[in-house]
Amino acid sequence: MHLKQRYRMSDLFKNIVSHCKEYGFVFQSSEIYDGLGAVYDYGPMGTLLKNNIREYWWKSMVQLHDNIHGIDSAIFMHPTTWKASGHLDAFMDPLIDNKDSKKRYRADVLIEDYIEKINKKVDKEVSKAAKRFGDDFVEEKFKSEHPRVSGYLAQIAEIRAELARCLTEGDLPALGKLIADLDIADPASGSRNWTEVRQFNLMFSTQLGSVAGKEDKLYLRPETAQGIFVNFLNVANTTRSKVPFGIAQTGKAFRNEIIARQFIFRMKEFEQMEMQYFVRPGEELDYYKYWKEFRMKWHRALGTPEDKLRFHDHDNLAHYANAAVDIEYDFPFGFKELEGIHSRTDFDLKKHQEFSGKKLQYFDTDLNENYTPYVVETSIGLDRMFLSILSQAYQEDEVPDASGKASSRLVLKIPPALAPIKCAVLPLVKNKEAITDKAQAIFNDLRFSFDCQYDEKDTIGRRYRRQDAIGTPYCITVDFESLEDGEVTLRERDSLEQVRIPISEVEAVIRENTSMSNLLKTLQ
Ligand code: ATP
């Protein structure tokens, strides 16, 4: 990517952040007290959008799969849960401090950023050569034969392999050495005066003080998945499920993230949407494939361009996983993880069985045998999904103004089924009672079906812009003629097409074009 393009991307990110604040999508938490780092509140528009994304996920997973059941487990769990899951001993980030700037970084992120810089050099060489060779250009051939580029790629592979080894083996001194060998400097100060790398647990703890003088340590869950594992038998028995079956839930998770300056991409308090699918041992990789494809289809059904989403296989598999992939989205700051799909073997159920002393097995009547099911999980952050949708939707384009001249507008092209407000009812003029009465009657009717707004302030052009800025797919204008012919003007957000339709048809047209069911049907 060219430097100029990169600047534009960072401007885009800044614009999205300020748009979120201006139009009531996302606010800094406790803003009147100067805010709390990496914690955010959702405003009126943001809450509606978030609810719609959650509904899309929930319905596609629970409603469309008759063997997936939804639960809502508590944030607090018995402290032994976290011993069994491995979070107490191993849910760590490798951190490094710069002695001069006193800033703290994740060691692996510093190295990843270094790799990204080399990647950028490769991209630059590739686009230069593509221009030079025109139609004859074969990217793969160029990458393997061009001495400088193949050297960059070999260097990336070498760094990745060492990083993966350090992380898998927990080799912190080697991680520090890698940072020194690569001559990585503090991005803030340019200093190379680093401390050694240390592990830092990401879980927040609090006290349960039910008996005076005796306090037990509790943790805020760092993922929703463990609430599913510990309820495996409860759900299997009460739903009389046969393997394979799944358990899904959405809910808050908490992580004491140190590097937290990417808006809602990385927060200390965030929401996850997770599903654990319990299968016969040996069949897990077939289901892994199914879920990988289904989840990508779910993203693409929103109209996200092909080149904005990609799979990224994990370089370093956790010791209990036998396959793991991320779905990455091309955020304004580059491709980053949006969702993880993991084949976790029987690790979690076996651990909970060991630590609780309770048998967590399944009797398979078809095979006539007992076993611990294997698990394939899909895990997506609701807030990251929200950010990816806004990044995709935020656009500036040109539209004709009232006099027919081109003027720029800011529009959120949010998929209609997810848009916070489905339609706005606008009386063309506000000083004619008959028109405002008619418009209000239409609005009062539509609000039973959709989230709608009624707006009579300002010129019609300004009102259209306000609706564009919050992503409303349809505006309905009521004018003098409406009183005579019972028709209104329906304006579509993206095409700007305006058509006259009978008032009696408005509800059906909006329903058809903004419905969650129609979006879900595309997943079949
Ligand atoms: P990362 O490598 O970015 O820290 P992770 O691999 O630790 O993410 P998982 O533990 O697999 O993430 O969590 C599943 C999903 O939860 C992620 O794909 C992401 O969408 C979301 N998520 C994880 N941590 C955060 C966070 N701090 N803020 C917002 N969303 C998060």
Side-chain angles (χ1 to χ4, degrees):
M1 195 183 289
H2 293 296
L3 209 59
K4 217 167 139 198
Q5 226 172 330
R6 236 176 29 233
Y7 278 126
R8 264 195 261 130
M9 290 309 256
S10 70
D11 282 348
L12 169 67
F13 189 44
K14 272 193 218 134
N15 292 346
I16 291 172
V17 175
S18 52
H19 192 86
C20 277
K21 177 167 184 211
E22 189 178 346
Y23 287 93
F25 283 86
V26 181
F27 306 126
Q28 175 77 60
S29 157
S30 329
E31 198 186 82
I32 58 166
Y33 293 103
D34 296 332
L36 185 63
V39 186
Y40 291 90
D41 297 337
Y42 285 82
M45 289 305 118
T47 305
L48 290 172
L49 174 57
K50 201 173 167 203
N51 287 346
N52 293 342
I53 300 172
R54 194 189 295 105
E55 184 187 344
Y56 175 44
W57 184 87
W58 186 268
K59 290 195 162 163
S60 70
M61 301 299 273
V62 180
Q63 194 169 308
L64 293 191
H65 290 90
D66 30 284
N67 60 350
I68 296 185
H69 309 283
I71 65 164
D72 182 9
S73 72
I75 286 171
F76 287 134
M77 299 184 70
H78 191 284
T80 310
T81 309
W82 307 112
K83 189 80 194 143
S85 68
H87 282 85
L88 263 180
D89 298 323
F91 194 52
M92 309 273 192
D93 271 347
L95 296 187
I96 189 164
D97 293 309
N98 187 280
K99 291 184 196 159
D100 297 325
S101 71
K102 307 274 181 274
K103 290 215 183 292
R104 180 168 285 180
Y105 297 93
R106 247 170 76 176
D108 55 330
V109 171
L110 284 177
I111 297 166
E112 290 285 355
D113 288 349
Y114 183 85
I115 293 174
E116 206 40 43
K117 275 192 197 143
I118 313 178
N119 258 327
K120 296 255 159 66
K121 289 187 194 168
V122 172
D123 288 348
K124 211 167 155 189
E125 296 277 3
V126 168
S127 63
K128 253 192 344 205
K131 251 193 226 143
R132 202 168 52 228
F133 295 114
D135 288 347
D136 296 334
F137 182 65
V138 183
E139 185 172 328
E140 284 319 306
K141 189 166 179 300
F142 173 77
K143 281 182 170 169
S144 63
E145 287 177 3
H146 189 280
R148 206 167 33 238
V149 171
S150 59
Y152 286 149
L153 292 173
Q155 196 191 355
I156 291 176
E158 204 179 304
I159 301 172
R160 276 206 185 288
E162 177 62 0
L163 175 62
R165 187 196 68 75
C166 293
L167 293 177
T168 318
E169 294 173 13
D171 189 345
L172 302 183
L175 211 50
K177 183 169 179 308
L178 191 56
I179 289 178
D181 290 350
L182 296 174
D183 206 26
I184 295 177
D186 174 1
S189 66
S191 150
R192 289 173 174 77
N193 193 5
W194 297 109
T195 61
E196 79 264 31
V197 181
R198 283 164 302 119
Q199 294 282 33
F200 178 84
N201 197 300
L202 291 173
M203 283 200 294
F204 284 104
S205 64
T206 184
Q207 309 293 334
L208 180 72
S210 51
V211 181
K214 183 175 179 300
E215 291 191 331
D216 288 323
K217 209 170 190 177
L218 279 189
Y219 296 91
L220 298 185
R221 67 179 177 196
E223 62 175 30
T224 58
Q226 299 306 322
I228 289 179
F229 290 124
V230 301
N231 277 299
F232 161 71
L233 273 189
N234 285 336
V235 177
N237 293 339
T238 52
T239 57
R240 300 162 71 227
S241 290
K242 289 183 87 171
V243 162
F245 74 94
I247 307 178
Q249 77 166 326
T250 71
K252 288 277 176 118
F254 304 82
R255 294 182 188 180
N256 200 355
E257 302 272 10
I258 291 300
I259 315 300
R261 258 162 293 135
Q262 281 167 313
F263 192 40
I264 55 171
F265 178 82
R266 191 174 297 286
M267 300 151 90
K268 292 196 159 101
E269 174 179 344
F270 58 102
E271 192 164 337
Q272 287 187 316
M273 308 192 283
E274 296 198 291
M275 191 279 303
Q276 265 67 37
Y277 204 67
F278 300 91
V279 306
R280 273 184 192 160
E283 294 184 356
E284 68 278 9
L285 292 180
D286 295 331
Y287 288 106
Y288 172 73
K289 192 164 168 276
Y290 168 82
W291 284 110
K292 203 175 140 176
E293 280 161 18
F294 182 82
R295 293 303 307 150
M296 188 55 109
K297 200 167 174 188
W298 184 88
H299 289 280
R300 296 230 158 102
L302 295 173
T304 312
E306 290 269 315
D307 63 347
K308 287 280 185 180
L309 288 163
R310 71 180 187 197
F311 285 119
H312 179 256
D313 283 311
H314 281 206
D315 292 324
N316 48 323
L317 281 184
H319 61 279
Y320 50 81
N322 61 6
V325 70
D326 291 338
I327 294 180
E328 294 186 337
Y329 174 78
D330 190 8
F331 287 95
F333 39 85
F335 271 102
K336 295 270 183 257
E337 173 178 342
L338 178 58
E339 167 156 16
I341 298 146
H342 314 123
S343 173
R344 300 178 61 104
T345 68
D346 55 2
F347 174 82
D348 305 88
L349 287 180
K350 279 226 167 111
K351 282 284 174 194
H352 285 303
Q353 179 167 288
E354 183 188 326
F355 279 80
S356 67
K358 308 275 172 4
K359 204 164 156 194
L360 292 181
Q361 288 208 326
Y362 170 79
F363 181 69
D364 193 321
T365 46
D366 295 337
L367 298 179
N368 206 21
E369 70 179 64
N370 256 317
Y371 55 78
T372 307
Y374 272 39
V375 171
V376 175
E377 77 173 0
T378 72
S379 171
I380 176 167
L382 177 48
D383 314 86
R384 275 192 200 177
M385 189 61 203
F386 184 104
L387 183 59
S388 79
I389 286 175
L390 277 192
S391 309
Q392 195 57 43
Y394 183 95
Q395 292 177 29
E396 284 180 47
D397 59 12
E398 298 227 311
V399 296
D401 66 12
S403 64
K405 269 199 293 186
S407 72
S408 76
R409 75 161 176 167
L410 224 154
V411 56
L412 292 186
K413 295 187 175 172
I414 300 174
L418 303 185
I421 303 292
K422 303 296 185 220
C423 75
V425 182
L426 318 171
L428 189 65
V429 285
K430 71 166 178 188
N431 46 5
K432 283 278 172 285
E433 224 170 83
I435 292 185
T436 48
D437 282 356
K438 185 98 198 152
Q440 264 169 0
I442 296 172
F443 168 69
N444 282 329
D445 207 26
L446 290 177
R447 74 194 319 183
F448 287 105
S449 309
F450 318 107
D451 281 298
C452 305
Q453 283 191 351
Y454 173 83
D455 188 3
E456 57 177 32
K457 286 182 223 93
D458 288 328
T459 63
I460 192 75
R462 284 230 183 109
R463 281 181 274 166
Y464 281 153
R465 293 293 186 281
R466 270 205 293 273
Q467 294 302 328
D468 287 342
I470 56 170
T472 307
Y474 292 99
C475 287
I476 293 152
T477 313
V478 183
D479 56 19
F480 290 100
E481 267 176 64
S482 310
L483 304 176
E484 319 262 293
D485 63 6
E487 292 193 344
V488 288
T489 304
L490 185 80
R491 172 197 186 257
E492 202 269 330
R493 179 194 69 196
D494 301 349
S495 65
L496 295 168
E497 215 173 70
Q498 302 202 9
V499 288
R500 296 284 292 178
I501 59 165
I503 293 169
S504 57
E505 286 175 19
V506 169
E507 205 258 1
V509 170
I510 295 175
R511 181 182 298 284
E512 176 63 21
N513 291 296
T514 65
S515 102
M516 183 66 78
S517 337
N518 286 346
L519 174 60
L520 290 167
K521 280 180 193 158
T522 64
L523 296 175
Q524 276 172 340

